Amino acid sequence: MKPSHIEHIGIAVKSLEEAIPFYEKVLGLECYAVEEVVDQKVKTAFFKVGDTKIELLESTDPEGPIGKFVAKTGGGMHHMAFAVEDVQQALTEVQEAGCEVIDKTPRNGAEGLKIGFLHPKSTQRVLTEICGNK
Ligand code: ZN
């Protein structure tokens, strides 16, 4: 797999409404999109920093992955996402290289992108996402 850049960093928050002012007023970034991702049971808010985005994640369901993470940790850095051309191809390649994956086939992420998660067991405990246009 050949990632072109860090596509985004995912940060789990209790409330987008509480978290957004830090990114806007303190860091001086602009929230350019808020979107619900039904598949992942989250509402997301996006900020651009160069080619990379900050993705804030608020759970819409306490039983969803972000709901459980926030209940356990109080929130914070959740995952890092690498940009690739072809997510299916990247998922196949990392498995061939011995990496365990959570998603064997891509699923739908925010902003119309395809995404897939690698298993933290294989990534030094950092939840790692790959994302791309196909
Ligand atoms: Zn993400």
Side-chain angles (χ1 to χ4, degrees):
M1 144 173 158
K2 270 252 179 287
S4 56
H5 60 284
I6 307 268
E7 215 281 338
H8 64 267
I9 293 172
I11 296 170
V13 300
K14 284 184 190 141
S15 149
L16 290 182
E17 203 182 312
E18 277 176 29
I20 287 171
F22 168 73
Y23 290 88
E24 289 196 320
K25 298 204 169 85
V26 180
L27 297 186
L29 303 173
E30 186 197 346
C31 176
Y32 69 91
V34 173
E35 183 186 341
E36 184 165 350
V37 184
V38 176
D39 260 16
Q40 291 182 72
K41 303 184 165 88
V42 290
K43 252 184 4 189
T44 60
F46 283 98
F47 305 83
K48 277 198 182 101
V49 190
D51 285 340
T52 303
K53 299 159 192 162
I54 303 290
E55 176 188 54
L56 301 184
L57 303 147
E58 175 191 317
S59 180
T60 55
D61 179 349
E63 291 306 307
I66 296 298
K68 287 182 182 161
F69 179 82
V70 169
K72 205 166 106 187
T73 65
M77 180 152 170
H78 183 260
H79 67 272
M80 180 161 66
F82 292 96
V84 298
E85 273 291 302
D86 183 333
V87 176
Q88 179 64 75
Q89 188 191 334
L91 287 171
T92 303
E93 285 172 10
V94 298
Q95 288 178 91
E96 283 166 5
C99 177
E100 268 192 60
V101 296
I102 294 172
D103 299 305
K104 288 205 158 64
T105 54
R107 51 179 150 146
N108 297 319
E111 303 193 302
L113 293 174
K114 295 289 178 201
I115 65 168
F117 283 96
L118 312 187
H119 201 289
K121 248 195 257 176
S122 298
T123 61
Q124 284 72 48
R125 312 306 306 171
V126 177
L127 181 58
T128 302
E129 176 184 342
I130 43 188
C131 86
N133 292 316
K134 57 177 187 173

